[in-house]
Amino acid sequence: MNLVNNRIYSTQMEAARKGIVTPEMKVVAEKENRDTEFIRQMVAEGKVVIPANPNHIGLDPNGVGSMLKTKINVNLGVSRDCKDLDVEMKKVMKAVDMGAEAIMDLSSHGDTQPFRQKLCSSCPAMIGTVPVYDSVIHYKRDLATLTAKDFVDVVRLHAEDGVDFVTLHCGISRNTIEQIKNGKREMNIVSRGGSLVFAWMAMTGQENPFYEYYDEILEICREHDVTISLGDACRPGCLADATDRCQIEELIRLGELTERAWARDVQVMVEGPGHVPMDQIEANMKIQQTICKGAPFYVLGPLVTDIAPGYDHITAAIGGAIAAASGAAFLCYVTPAEHLALPNVDDVHQGIIASKIAAHAADIAKGIPGARDRDDRMAKARKNLDWDAQWLEALDPATAKAIRDSRAPEDDHSDTCSMCGKFCAVRSMNKALAGEYIDIL
């Protein structure tokens, strides 16, 4: 039992099942305009998770669940080719300023622990990691030389450092190797973590350590209240592989692992596709909800076409809006650099905006309490040609204001924009309804 801050429970789920409303549940309830008892019940059932490691100082808690506001995650971290930690911190600050609820450190180069610890000591957003990435880096040894214990120990290290959730690719097994070898997938495995686990099994002949030692990992996550994000190693990397046998069989295994985690009071999210045609997205969400008993679904995109490199923040936003409206709870942002390069600060900005648009549109469609209030205020501000009020409601006010200011209207119709000028429908209607003369020329 975790006694940090005199807690008499180990995890948010354990507290909820004991009838305890935690401080984190109160914060989430207030943010979501929901009753605290509703939040407690959803956490107890596993339909809402509140990733909140007690070792994460200064965390601003958020709930993730299909009945709550759709949350977004921002991936960042250094690589061998782009290893400037100062740039990564700028991305972190950009993400926090723009309202991202979670940040995943996917660093794959150098000494990753100081950066991870800095995030967990100073960043208010939920922090996630993928421990398998860090295993090779932490031990500074080739993948094939690592043991199952090495992988488990890195999970423990990340939990002790304060991360709130970890992506673990527990759902593939030795059987998956033959399935991929004998299958007809176009893109095989595109998950970076999944490919590392697959490669380790192929080289060592051993079972997936995250699956074989899942019970030990559950004890680590229970001790530190780390939410497990069950990674989808077999997510489709192209439209041709969407909703295939490999993906669905892994999902069935993830459903079983979800229930095993819940039996230990460990919170769980389930990760999902990937590249999926628009007409298959809703079905994918419903299948996951059924197999995984309503555990929150965390999706990458989905990307609805394969041919838009440089614009995949848009393909992902289209898929993300459909997915969230159909039951996904958590959107992993995608930037214009997807498939091309490590994103820079501007890419991060564009990726966040695209994801926030998708999340907000889905919340309106789902009827989330208060979701449309901002839109209604924007409509009123536009009707009144009140530009300052419009900036207050805009998702990206700086960009919106800069566009208008760069092409400002002339003085005699400065209340309009340079698109329509005196032909502005809003201006004409306001004057007509007020009984005023409408000058056009």
Side-chain angles (χ1 to χ4, degrees):
M1 183 171 295
N2 196 324
L3 296 179
V4 175
N5 297 325
N6 297 315
R7 284 166 49 149
I8 58 171
Y9 51 86
S10 292
T11 70
Q12 295 290 323
M13 176 174 268
E14 181 187 11
R17 288 173 168 178
K18 289 181 173 179
I20 299 170
V21 175
T22 67
E24 292 80 9
M25 292 178 202
K26 292 178 181 177
V27 171
V28 170
E30 183 174 353
K31 287 182 176 181
E32 300 287 343
N33 299 311
R34 298 280 193 167
D35 183 78
T36 53
E37 176 57 23
F38 172 79
I39 298 297
R40 184 201 66 77
Q41 183 63 38
M42 292 297 97
V43 173
E45 294 178 11
K47 294 177 181 176
V48 166
V49 298
I50 304 177
N53 187 329
N55 294 323
H56 182 172
I57 307 302
L59 171 70
D60 182 15
N62 275 288
V64 179
S66 64
M67 70 295 299
L68 306 181
K69 297 172 188 173
T70 306
K71 307 304 186 299
I72 68 167
N73 170 72
V74 170
N75 288 341
L76 45 80
V78 296
S79 70
R80 183 174 180 176
D81 295 308
C82 300
K83 42 184 175 283
D84 190 333
L85 284 174
D86 290 337
V87 172
E88 296 312 302
M89 280 309 301
K90 288 180 182 178
K91 295 178 190 177
V92 171
M93 291 185 286
K94 169 71 75 173
V96 171
D97 289 345
M98 294 182 69
E101 289 85 8
I103 290 171
M104 288 198 79
D105 175 19
L106 306 186
S107 293
S108 59
H109 177 81
D111 184 359
T112 59
Q113 189 171 33
F115 182 61
R116 183 169 60 249
Q117 290 178 334
K118 184 174 183 178
L119 289 176
C120 294
S121 64
S122 61
C123 181
M126 299 179 285
I127 302 300
T129 59
V130 187
V132 70
Y133 295 175
D134 200 32
S135 298
V136 175
I137 306 163
H138 178 73
Y139 293 109
K140 297 181 174 61
R141 295 186 354 235
D142 283 339
L143 185 65
T145 68
L146 299 179
T147 67
K149 182 179 184 299
D150 291 334
F151 291 115
V152 174
D153 285 346
V154 171
V155 175
R156 182 179 291 105
L157 176 65
H158 284 215
E160 291 172 349
D161 283 343
V163 304
D164 303 296
F165 63 100
V166 290
T167 291
L168 302 175
H169 298 85
C170 309
I172 59 173
S173 66
R174 295 270 315 150
N175 291 336
T176 309
I177 295 178
E178 296 307 313
Q179 190 176 63
I180 292 293
K181 285 181 177 179
N182 299 326
K184 296 180 180 179
R185 274 201 151 197
E186 290 293 332
M187 290 290 294
N188 296 315
I189 287 179
V190 299
S191 160
R192 185 163 69 174
S195 71
L196 291 173
V197 174
F198 186 98
W200 185 86
M201 288 191 294
M203 288 188 292
T204 65
Q206 297 181 47
E207 184 54 275
N208 178 354
F210 299 104
Y211 179 72
E212 186 173 5
Y213 295 95
Y214 189 62
D215 288 338
E216 184 176 346
I217 291 170
L218 288 178
E219 287 307 308
I220 295 169
C221 292
R222 176 181 170 81
E223 179 182 356
H224 298 280
D225 197 2
V226 174
T227 299
I228 293 179
S229 187
L230 289 169
D232 52 337
C234 295
R235 69 171 179 264
C238 62
L239 300 188
D241 294 339
T243 325
D244 68 353
R245 175 184 171 186
C246 193
Q247 176 194 337
I248 299 303
E249 284 191 2
E250 182 186 26
L251 183 61
I252 292 170
R253 201 170 294 116
L254 297 185
E256 296 168 354
L257 294 170
T258 295
E259 295 190 84
R260 284 173 59 184
W262 285 348
R264 304 283 187 92
D265 297 325
V266 174
Q267 301 185 99
V268 175
M269 298 184 286
V270 178
E271 297 185 12
H275 292 234
V276 182
M278 286 174 59
D279 61 307
Q280 295 182 27
I281 293 175
E282 182 178 3
N284 269 260
M285 302 306 109
K286 300 307 179 187
I287 290 170
Q288 186 275 344
Q289 289 175 322
T290 300
I291 292 175
C292 299
K293 306 293 191 297
F297 207 14
Y298 173 26
V299 297
L300 178 67
L303 282 70
V304 295
T305 180
D306 298 335
I307 62 168
Y311 299 92
D312 277 330
H313 58 309
I314 297 173
T315 66
I318 294 169
I322 298 170
S326 303
F330 199 16
L331 302 181
C332 186
Y333 91 149
V334 173
T335 78
E338 184 77 9
H339 301 111
L340 302 172
L342 190 77
N344 61 25
V345 176
D346 183 61
D347 293 328
V348 168
H349 180 99
Q350 292 190 55
I352 291 172
I353 288 297
S355 290
K356 286 178 73 70
I357 292 170
H360 183 68
D363 290 347
I364 294 170
K366 290 193 295 184
I368 296 295
R372 212 187 71 183
D373 291 354
R374 195 168 172 180
D375 299 78
D376 292 342
R377 292 193 298 269
M378 177 64 90
K380 183 176 180 180
R382 283 177 170 156
K383 176 184 177 182
N384 295 331
L385 293 172
D386 185 341
W387 295 95
D388 288 335
Q390 290 181 50
W391 308 146
L392 289 175
E393 306 306 334
L395 277 176
D396 187 359
T399 297
K401 189 174 187 302
I403 291 172
R404 182 171 192 271
D405 289 348
S406 70
R407 283 155 268 174
E410 295 180 6
D411 290 341
D412 68 343
H413 55 275
S414 60
D415 57 341
T416 70
C417 77
S418 58
M419 171 70 180
C420 296
K422 290 186 177 182
F423 280 82
C424 174
V426 175
R427 177 181 182 269
S428 295
M429 288 302 300
N430 288 348
K431 286 180 175 293
L433 293 173
E436 298 177 9
Y437 179 78
I438 303 165
D439 58 317
I440 297 295
L441 298 177

mmCIF file of all heavy atoms in Angstrom, residues 18-54:
data_model
loop_
_atom_site.group_PDB
_atom_site.id
_atom_site.type_symbol
_atom_site.label_atom_id
_atom_site.label_comp_id
_atom_site.label_asym_id
_atom_site.label_seq_id
_atom_site.Cartn_x
_atom_site.Cartn_y
_atom_site.Cartn_z
ATOM 1 N N LYS A 18 -12.985 1.263 -2.999
ATOM 2 C CA LYS A 18 -13.215 1.340 -1.553
ATOM 3 C C LYS A 18 -14.177 2.465 -1.179
ATOM 4 O O LYS A 18 -14.441 2.703 -0.003
ATOM 5 C CB LYS A 18 -11.891 1.558 -0.826
ATOM 6 C CG LYS A 18 -10.965 0.344 -0.830
ATOM 7 C CD LYS A 18 -9.674 0.639 -0.069
ATOM 8 C CE LYS A 18 -8.818 -0.617 0.068
ATOM 9 N NZ LYS A 18 -7.537 -0.341 0.784
ATOM 10 N N GLY A 19 -14.674 3.182 -2.203
ATOM 11 C CA GLY A 19 -15.606 4.281 -1.944
ATOM 12 C C GLY A 19 -14.928 5.582 -1.595
ATOM 13 O O GLY A 19 -15.587 6.536 -1.158
ATOM 14 N N ILE A 20 -13.621 5.666 -1.815
ATOM 15 C CA ILE A 20 -12.857 6.870 -1.481
ATOM 16 C C ILE A 20 -12.813 7.800 -2.683
ATOM 17 O O ILE A 20 -12.462 7.379 -3.794
ATOM 18 C CB ILE A 20 -11.423 6.513 -1.059
ATOM 19 C CG1 ILE A 20 -11.433 5.622 0.183
ATOM 20 C CG2 ILE A 20 -10.591 7.777 -0.808
ATOM 21 C CD1 ILE A 20 -10.070 5.029 0.530
ATOM 22 N N VAL A 21 -13.178 9.048 -2.478
ATOM 23 C CA VAL A 21 -13.025 10.073 -3.514
ATOM 24 C C VAL A 21 -11.690 10.757 -3.268
ATOM 25 O O VAL A 21 -11.507 11.447 -2.277
ATOM 26 C CB VAL A 21 -14.176 11.093 -3.477
ATOM 27 C CG1 VAL A 21 -13.916 12.220 -4.477
ATOM 28 C CG2 VAL A 21 -15.506 10.413 -3.783
ATOM 29 N N THR A 22 -10.749 10.560 -4.184
ATOM 30 C CA THR A 22 -9.403 11.100 -3.998
ATOM 31 C C THR A 22 -9.350 12.575 -4.416
ATOM 32 O O THR A 22 -10.247 13.066 -5.115
ATOM 33 C CB THR A 22 -8.392 10.324 -4.856
ATOM 34 O OG1 THR A 22 -8.683 10.576 -6.244
ATOM 35 C CG2 THR A 22 -8.473 8.824 -4.582
ATOM 36 N N PRO A 23 -8.311 13.285 -3.997
ATOM 37 C CA PRO A 23 -8.147 14.670 -4.460
ATOM 38 C C PRO A 23 -8.121 14.771 -5.979
ATOM 39 O O PRO A 23 -8.651 15.724 -6.560
ATOM 40 C CB PRO A 23 -6.804 15.090 -3.844
ATOM 41 C CG PRO A 23 -6.656 14.232 -2.627
ATOM 42 C CD PRO A 23 -7.275 12.919 -2.997
ATOM 43 N N GLU A 24 -7.498 13.777 -6.635
ATOM 44 C CA GLU A 24 -7.431 13.784 -8.092
ATOM 45 C C GLU A 24 -8.821 13.634 -8.705
ATOM 46 O O GLU A 24 -9.138 14.268 -9.716
ATOM 47 C CB GLU A 24 -6.509 12.671 -8.587
ATOM 48 C CG GLU A 24 -5.043 12.859 -8.249
ATOM 49 C CD GLU A 24 -4.683 12.472 -6.813
ATOM 50 O OE1 GLU A 24 -5.550 11.887 -6.106
ATOM 51 O OE2 GLU A 24 -3.544 12.748 -6.401
ATOM 52 N N MET A 25 -9.659 12.799 -8.119
ATOM 53 C CA MET A 25 -11.022 12.637 -8.623
ATOM 54 C C MET A 25 -11.809 13.942 -8.490
ATOM 55 O O MET A 25 -12.602 14.286 -9.374
ATOM 56 C CB MET A 25 -11.738 11.524 -7.861
ATOM 57 C CG MET A 25 -11.194 10.137 -8.113
ATOM 58 S SD MET A 25 -12.089 8.907 -7.125
ATOM 59 C CE MET A 25 -10.880 7.576 -7.076
ATOM 60 N N LYS A 26 -11.581 14.673 -7.418
ATOM 61 C CA LYS A 26 -12.277 15.954 -7.230
ATOM 62 C C LYS A 26 -11.871 16.949 -8.310
ATOM 63 O O LYS A 26 -12.714 17.680 -8.853
ATOM 64 C CB LYS A 26 -11.965 16.512 -5.842
ATOM 65 C CG LYS A 26 -12.562 15.706 -4.696
ATOM 66 C CD LYS A 26 -12.172 16.293 -3.344
ATOM 67 C CE LYS A 26 -12.755 15.464 -2.202
ATOM 68 N NZ LYS A 26 -12.334 15.988 -0.874
ATOM 69 N N VAL A 27 -10.578 16.997 -8.631
ATOM 70 C CA VAL A 27 -10.097 17.903 -9.676
ATOM 71 C C VAL A 27 -10.717 17.533 -11.017
ATOM 72 O O VAL A 27 -11.196 18.398 -11.764
ATOM 73 C CB VAL A 27 -8.554 17.855 -9.769
ATOM 74 C CG1 VAL A 27 -8.065 18.629 -10.998
ATOM 75 C CG2 VAL A 27 -7.916 18.425 -8.508
ATOM 76 N N VAL A 28 -10.726 16.239 -11.332
ATOM 77 C CA VAL A 28 -11.288 15.779 -12.601
ATOM 78 C C VAL A 28 -12.774 16.104 -12.674
ATOM 79 O O VAL A 28 -13.269 16.576 -13.707
ATOM 80 C CB VAL A 28 -11.036 14.270 -12.787
ATOM 81 C CG1 VAL A 28 -11.831 13.731 -13.980
ATOM 82 C CG2 VAL A 28 -9.549 13.993 -12.977
ATOM 83 N N ALA A 29 -13.490 15.860 -11.599
ATOM 84 C CA ALA A 29 -14.935 16.142 -11.582
ATOM 85 C C ALA A 29 -15.207 17.613 -11.867
ATOM 86 O O ALA A 29 -16.114 17.957 -12.643
ATOM 87 C CB ALA A 29 -15.519 15.736 -10.234
ATOM 88 N N GLU A 30 -14.420 18.491 -11.270
ATOM 89 C CA GLU A 30 -14.614 19.928 -11.491
ATOM 90 C C GLU A 30 -14.314 20.299 -12.943
ATOM 91 O O GLU A 30 -15.068 21.059 -13.562
ATOM 92 C CB GLU A 30 -13.705 20.720 -10.554
ATOM 93 C CG GLU A 30 -13.897 22.228 -10.652
ATOM 94 C CD GLU A 30 -13.095 23.000 -9.627
ATOM 95 O OE1 GLU A 30 -12.482 22.368 -8.736
ATOM 96 O OE2 GLU A 30 -13.070 24.245 -9.729
ATOM 97 N N LYS A 31 -13.248 19.744 -13.508
ATOM 98 C CA LYS A 31 -12.890 20.041 -14.895
ATOM 99 C C LYS A 31 -13.947 19.547 -15.871
ATOM 100 O O LYS A 31 -14.175 20.159 -16.917
ATOM 101 C CB LYS A 31 -11.552 19.389 -15.253
ATOM 102 C CG LYS A 31 -10.326 20.039 -14.636
ATOM 103 C CD LYS A 31 -9.072 19.322 -15.114
ATOM 104 C CE LYS A 31 -7.811 19.977 -14.601
ATOM 105 N NZ LYS A 31 -6.585 19.296 -15.091
ATOM 106 N N GLU A 32 -14.582 18.433 -15.536
ATOM 107 C CA GLU A 32 -15.506 17.793 -16.460
ATOM 108 C C GLU A 32 -16.963 18.186 -16.236
ATOM 109 O O GLU A 32 -17.853 17.691 -16.926
ATOM 110 C CB GLU A 32 -15.381 16.263 -16.334
ATOM 111 C CG GLU A 32 -13.993 15.713 -16.633
ATOM 112 C CD GLU A 32 -13.642 15.738 -18.108
ATOM 113 O OE1 GLU A 32 -14.574 15.870 -18.930
ATOM 114 O OE2 GLU A 32 -12.450 15.620 -18.433
ATOM 115 N N ASN A 33 -17.206 19.065 -15.243
ATOM 116 C CA ASN A 33 -18.580 19.445 -14.890
ATOM 117 C C ASN A 33 -19.411 18.215 -14.532
ATOM 118 O O ASN A 33 -20.572 18.084 -14.932
ATOM 119 C CB ASN A 33 -19.251 20.198 -16.050
ATOM 120 C CG ASN A 33 -18.531 21.483 -16.403
ATOM 121 O OD1 ASN A 33 -18.220 22.280 -15.524
ATOM 122 N ND2 ASN A 33 -18.262 21.681 -17.685
ATOM 123 N N ARG A 34 -18.780 17.314 -13.784
ATOM 124 C CA ARG A 34 -19.426 16.064 -13.383
ATOM 125 C C ARG A 34 -19.440 15.934 -11.862
ATOM 126 O O ARG A 34 -18.619 16.534 -11.161
ATOM 127 C CB ARG A 34 -18.670 14.861 -13.968
ATOM 128 C CG ARG A 34 -18.642 14.805 -15.482
ATOM 129 C CD ARG A 34 -19.933 14.266 -16.046
ATOM 130 N NE ARG A 34 -19.806 13.921 -17.455
ATOM 131 C CZ ARG A 34 -20.688 13.214 -18.121
ATOM 132 N NH1 ARG A 34 -21.763 12.759 -17.515
ATOM 133 N NH2 ARG A 34 -20.508 12.952 -19.407
ATOM 134 N N ASP A 35 -20.339 15.108 -11.382
ATOM 135 C CA ASP A 35 -20.410 14.813 -9.958
ATOM 136 C C ASP A 35 -19.231 13.926 -9.562
ATOM 137 O O ASP A 35 -18.841 13.021 -10.322
ATOM 138 C CB ASP A 35 -21.739 14.100 -9.656
ATOM 139 C CG ASP A 35 -21.914 13.828 -8.182
ATOM 140 O OD1 ASP A 35 -22.256 14.767 -7.453
ATOM 141 O OD2 ASP A 35 -21.686 12.671 -7.776
ATOM 142 N N THR A 36 -18.661 14.172 -8.389
ATOM 143 C CA THR A 36 -17.507 13.376 -7.952
ATOM 144 C C THR A 36 -17.857 11.898 -7.834
ATOM 145 O O THR A 36 -17.014 11.033 -8.111
ATOM 146 C CB THR A 36 -16.969 13.874 -6.598
ATOM 147 O OG1 THR A 36 -18.038 13.914 -5.644
ATOM 148 C CG2 THR A 36 -16.347 15.251 -6.722
ATOM 149 N N GLU A 37 -19.083 11.595 -7.460
ATOM 150 C CA GLU A 37 -19.483 10.195 -7.320
ATOM 151 C C GLU A 37 -19.504 9.505 -8.681
ATOM 152 O O GLU A 37 -19.153 8.319 -8.794
ATOM 153 C CB GLU A 37 -20.853 10.098 -6.658
ATOM 154 C CG GLU A 37 -21.417 8.678 -6.551
ATOM 155 C CD GLU A 37 -20.504 7.709 -5.789
ATOM 156 O OE1 GLU A 37 -19.671 8.155 -4.973
ATOM 157 O OE2 GLU A 37 -20.628 6.483 -6.020
ATOM 158 N N PHE A 38 -19.888 10.238 -9.718
ATOM 159 C CA PHE A 38 -19.866 9.677 -11.070
ATOM 160 C C PHE A 38 -18.435 9.332 -11.473
ATOM 161 O O PHE A 38 -18.173 8.242 -12.002
ATOM 162 C CB PHE A 38 -20.468 10.680 -12.058
ATOM 163 C CG PHE A 38 -20.324 10.279 -13.495
ATOM 164 C CD1 PHE A 38 -21.174 9.341 -14.070
ATOM 165 C CD2 PHE A 38 -19.320 10.827 -14.296
ATOM 166 C CE1 PHE A 38 -21.030 8.960 -15.409
ATOM 167 C CE2 PHE A 38 -19.169 10.454 -15.627
ATOM 168 C CZ PHE A 38 -20.024 9.523 -16.182
ATOM 169 N N ILE A 39 -17.507 10.244 -11.222
ATOM 170 C CA ILE A 39 -16.104 9.992 -11.558
ATOM 171 C C ILE A 39 -15.579 8.803 -10.767
ATOM 172 O O ILE A 39 -14.910 7.913 -11.320
ATOM 173 C CB ILE A 39 -15.241 11.243 -11.292
ATOM 174 C CG1 ILE A 39 -15.696 12.413 -12.169
ATOM 175 C CG2 ILE A 39 -13.755 10.932 -11.509
ATOM 176 C CD1 ILE A 39 -15.545 12.185 -13.645
ATOM 177 N N ARG A 40 -15.882 8.748 -9.483
ATOM 178 C CA ARG A 40 -15.415 7.633 -8.653
ATOM 179 C C ARG A 40 -15.925 6.304 -9.192
ATOM 180 O O ARG A 40 -15.175 5.325 -9.302
ATOM 181 C CB ARG A 40 -15.877 7.808 -7.190
ATOM 182 C CG ARG A 40 -15.329 6.727 -6.250
ATOM 183 C CD ARG A 40 -16.168 6.593 -4.992
ATOM 184 N NE ARG A 40 -17.510 6.104 -5.274
ATOM 185 C CZ ARG A 40 -17.812 4.845 -5.547
ATOM 186 N NH1 ARG A 40 -16.871 3.918 -5.592
ATOM 187 N NH2 ARG A 40 -19.060 4.488 -5.787
ATOM 188 N N GLN A 41 -17.196 6.251 -9.581
ATOM 189 C CA GLN A 41 -17.785 5.014 -10.082
ATOM 190 C C GLN A 41 -17.131 4.591 -11.392
ATOM 191 O O GLN A 41 -16.839 3.404 -11.606
ATOM 192 C CB GLN A 41 -19.294 5.191 -10.280
ATOM 193 C CG GLN A 41 -20.029 3.938 -10.735
ATOM 194 C CD GLN A 41 -19.951 2.809 -9.716
ATOM 195 O OE1 GLN A 41 -20.003 3.058 -8.510
ATOM 196 N NE2 GLN A 41 -19.825 1.577 -10.178
ATOM 197 N N MET A 42 -16.872 5.557 -12.286
ATOM 198 C CA MET A 42 -16.246 5.232 -13.566
ATOM 199 C C MET A 42 -14.811 4.729 -13.384
ATOM 200 O O MET A 42 -14.357 3.826 -14.087
ATOM 201 C CB MET A 42 -16.258 6.449 -14.487
ATOM 202 C CG MET A 42 -17.642 6.878 -14.978
ATOM 203 S SD MET A 42 -18.483 5.624 -16.009
ATOM 204 C CE MET A 42 -19.544 4.842 -14.776
ATOM 205 N N VAL A 43 -14.079 5.312 -12.425
ATOM 206 C CA VAL A 43 -12.726 4.840 -12.133
ATOM 207 C C VAL A 43 -12.780 3.428 -11.550
ATOM 208 O O VAL A 43 -11.979 2.561 -11.903
ATOM 209 C CB VAL A 43 -12.001 5.802 -11.171
ATOM 210 C CG1 VAL A 43 -10.650 5.222 -10.730
ATOM 211 C CG2 VAL A 43 -11.780 7.161 -11.832
ATOM 212 N N ALA A 44 -13.741 3.184 -10.678
ATOM 213 C CA ALA A 44 -13.891 1.861 -10.073
ATOM 214 C C ALA A 44 -14.159 0.798 -11.131
ATOM 215 O O ALA A 44 -13.671 -0.337 -11.030
ATOM 216 C CB ALA A 44 -15.026 1.875 -9.042
ATOM 217 N N GLU A 45 -14.909 1.163 -12.166
ATOM 218 C CA GLU A 45 -15.249 0.214 -13.232
ATOM 219 C C GLU A 45 -14.165 0.114 -14.301
ATOM 220 O O GLU A 45 -14.252 -0.744 -15.185
ATOM 221 C CB GLU A 45 -16.572 0.633 -13.880
ATOM 222 C CG GLU A 45 -17.774 0.524 -12.956
ATOM 223 C CD GLU A 45 -19.056 1.000 -13.612
ATOM 224 O OE1 GLU A 45 -19.038 1.217 -14.854
ATOM 225 O OE2 GLU A 45 -20.071 1.163 -12.902
ATOM 226 N N GLY A 46 -13.173 0.995 -14.251
ATOM 227 C CA GLY A 46 -12.119 0.975 -15.253
ATOM 228 C C GLY A 46 -12.446 1.742 -16.512
ATOM 229 O O GLY A 46 -11.660 1.748 -17.460
ATOM 230 N N LYS A 47 -13.600 2.409 -16.545
ATOM 231 C CA LYS A 47 -14.008 3.146 -17.735
ATOM 232 C C LYS A 47 -13.390 4.536 -17.795
ATOM 233 O O LYS A 47 -13.428 5.193 -18.838
ATOM 234 C CB LYS A 47 -15.536 3.231 -17.796
ATOM 235 C CG LYS A 47 -16.185 1.861 -17.998
ATOM 236 C CD LYS A 47 -17.699 1.934 -17.989
ATOM 237 C CE LYS A 47 -18.310 0.543 -18.176
ATOM 238 N NZ LYS A 47 -19.788 0.565 -18.080
ATOM 239 N N VAL A 48 -12.857 4.989 -16.683
ATOM 240 C CA VAL A 48 -12.080 6.227 -16.613
ATOM 241 C C VAL A 48 -10.780 5.918 -15.901
ATOM 242 O O VAL A 48 -10.774 5.188 -14.905
ATOM 243 C CB VAL A 48 -12.841 7.343 -15.859
ATOM 244 C CG1 VAL A 48 -11.910 8.496 -15.484
ATOM 245 C CG2 VAL A 48 -13.998 7.870 -16.699
ATOM 246 N N VAL A 49 -9.678 6.450 -16.422
ATOM 247 C CA VAL A 49 -8.404 6.357 -15.711
ATOM 248 C C VAL A 49 -7.937 7.762 -15.371
ATOM 249 O O VAL A 49 -8.195 8.718 -16.109
ATOM 250 C CB VAL A 49 -7.315 5.630 -16.535
ATOM 251 C CG1 VAL A 49 -7.737 4.194 -16.832
ATOM 252 C CG2 VAL A 49 -6.987 6.362 -17.815
ATOM 253 N N ILE A 50 -7.260 7.876 -14.232
ATOM 254 C CA ILE A 50 -6.631 9.126 -13.829
ATOM 255 C C ILE A 50 -5.157 8.815 -13.605
ATOM 256 O O ILE A 50 -4.747 8.452 -12.505
ATOM 257 C CB ILE A 50 -7.272 9.711 -12.550
ATOM 258 C CG1 ILE A 50 -8.786 9.899 -12.737
ATOM 259 C CG2 ILE A 50 -6.611 11.047 -12.187
ATOM 260 C CD1 ILE A 50 -9.503 10.401 -11.486
ATOM 261 N N PRO A 51 -4.344 8.878 -14.653
ATOM 262 C CA PRO A 51 -2.919 8.583 -14.493
ATOM 263 C C PRO A 51 -2.273 9.615 -13.576
ATOM 264 O O PRO A 51 -2.189 10.800 -13.918
ATOM 265 C CB PRO A 51 -2.375 8.681 -15.922
ATOM 266 C CG PRO A 51 -3.577 8.476 -16.805
ATOM 267 C CD PRO A 51 -4.690 9.139 -16.061
ATOM 268 N N ALA A 52 -1.842 9.192 -12.396
ATOM 269 C CA ALA A 52 -1.356 10.142 -11.394
ATOM 270 C C ALA A 52 -0.383 9.445 -10.451
ATOM 271 O O ALA A 52 -0.745 9.051 -9.337
ATOM 272 C CB ALA A 52 -2.535 10.736 -10.615
ATOM 273 N N ASN A 53 0.850 9.286 -10.893
ATOM 274 C CA ASN A 53 1.901 8.714 -10.048
ATOM 275 C C ASN A 53 2.180 9.687 -8.903
ATOM 276 O O ASN A 53 2.460 10.861 -9.150
ATOM 277 C CB ASN A 53 3.158 8.506 -10.904
ATOM 278 C CG ASN A 53 4.263 7.765 -10.178
ATOM 279 O OD1 ASN A 53 4.418 7.860 -8.960
ATOM 280 N ND2 ASN A 53 5.067 7.025 -10.925
ATOM 281 N N PRO A 54 2.115 9.246 -7.636
ATOM 282 C CA PRO A 54 2.378 10.150 -6.516
ATOM 283 C C PRO A 54 3.760 10.798 -6.575
ATOM 284 O O PRO A 54 3.979 11.849 -5.959
ATOM 285 C CB PRO A 54 2.259 9.233 -5.287
ATOM 286 C CG PRO A 54 1.418 8.099 -5.734
ATOM 287 C CD PRO A 54 1.748 7.894 -7.182
#
